[in-house]
Amino acid sequence: MALPALFDKLRLPVVGAPQFIIANPELVIAQCKGGIVGSFPALNARPQATLDDWLHRIRDELAAYDEAHPEAPSAPYAVNQIVHKSNDRLDADVALCVKHKVPIVITSLGARREVNDAIHSYGGIVLHDIINIEFAKKALDKGADGLIAVAAGAGGHAGGLSPFALVAELREFFDGPLLVSGAIATGAGILGALAMGADLDYIGSAFIATTEANAPQAYKHMNVDSDAGDIIYSNLF
């Protein structure tokens, strides 16, 4: 199945993962100008009214960039919504996504049909992150347009399955937009994910070291200096 037309503007098949605290308008705008989907969690905009300001800024700066660079327009952007019941901002944040017609909404920690319907009301698409087949089927049943396979090595709400196994099992019943994450940080990694059956790569930690990322310099250097042996799983937050 072909990807939705809004992905035609991508210069690399990559979505920048919405990282808590790290992702901000500066990073999202830079990612989109660079030809990949930039994203941020709605909860990074604090207080809640700040989200309206962020969406105005991202829309206006990307529109100005596109006007100045018609030969290489910016990629679309995405907003991540935590749809768990503990998020008391969800309704207000989704309403702002509808107001600004956010092209892509990434949903996490549960699947809510009413959220998907709201995004579909203006033609937006919903990508839902999952760590196993059970959650994938629930997300599709609730109306998600695409899936993000959060596999071993991924940051945030990480999964423990091999990306090879997870992607292969997802492709047995789903031929729609499929992203995969988990320690992808190079061109070879991007190509490998496509070879295993994904449509797009979902990359987060590699962007922590960027100038635009909202992270202390020591944390940025740590990400550059670390290797695979430094990846750990923890239930502490």
Side-chain angles (χ1 to χ4, degrees):
M1 175 177 163
L3 286 172
L6 82 171
F7 290 110
D8 291 346
K9 295 180 180 180
L10 269 61
R11 297 197 284 281
L12 281 175
V14 171
V15 173
Q19 299 182 88
F20 185 54
I21 298 177
I22 301 295
N24 53 25
E26 290 81 5
L27 180 57
V28 171
I29 291 166
Q31 289 172 322
C32 293
K33 288 180 179 179
I36 69 168
V37 174
S39 74
F40 70 95
L43 293 176
N44 280 8
R46 305 181 187 191
Q48 196 275 333
T50 305
L51 180 58
D52 195 30
D53 297 333
W54 282 21
L55 293 174
H56 271 293
R57 178 184 172 189
I58 292 169
R59 181 195 64 194
D60 292 348
E61 289 197 27
L62 292 180
Y65 177 85
D66 291 348
E67 185 175 356
H69 301 86
E71 76 290 349
S74 61
Y77 70 96
V79 173
N80 174 223
Q81 298 286 3
I82 303 298
V83 300
H84 191 269
K85 294 178 181 179
S86 61
N87 181 11
D88 58 8
R89 282 181 43 170
L90 181 62
D91 290 344
D93 288 348
V94 169
L96 284 174
C97 286
V98 174
K99 171 186 174 182
H100 290 274
K101 297 183 178 180
V102 172
I104 304 166
V105 169
I106 297 167
T107 51
S108 306
L109 297 183
R112 301 268 290 272
R113 185 177 297 279
E114 65 271 24
V115 172
N116 297 340
D117 290 345
I119 305 308
H120 292 156
S121 70
Y122 60 85
I125 70 168
V126 177
L127 305 176
H128 189 76
D129 63 16
I130 57 93
I131 60 171
N132 58 38
I133 299 302
E134 178 185 0
F135 291 154
K137 291 183 176 180
K138 286 182 178 179
L140 295 174
D141 184 62
K142 295 293 179 63
D145 302 292
L147 299 173
I148 302 167
V150 184
H157 305 105
L161 297 178
S162 161
F164 291 95
L166 185 53
V167 169
E169 291 185 17
L170 289 168
R171 281 306 191 203
E172 290 180 2
F173 63 88
F174 180 62
D175 65 353
L178 178 59
L179 293 72
V180 65
S181 71
I184 301 171
T186 66
I190 292 172
L191 183 60
L194 301 183
M196 75 172 72
D199 297 300
L200 299 165
D201 296 72
Y202 201 60
I203 301 176
S205 298
F207 293 104
I208 293 174
T210 61
T211 300
E212 296 83 3
N214 181 33
Q217 284 300 121
Y219 187 33
K220 294 183 180 185
H221 287 299
M222 184 190 75
N223 274 269
V224 173
D225 297 336
S226 297
D227 56 30
D230 296 309
I231 298 174
I232 62 171
Y233 283 89
S234 173
N235 61 357
L236 302 177
F237 180 78

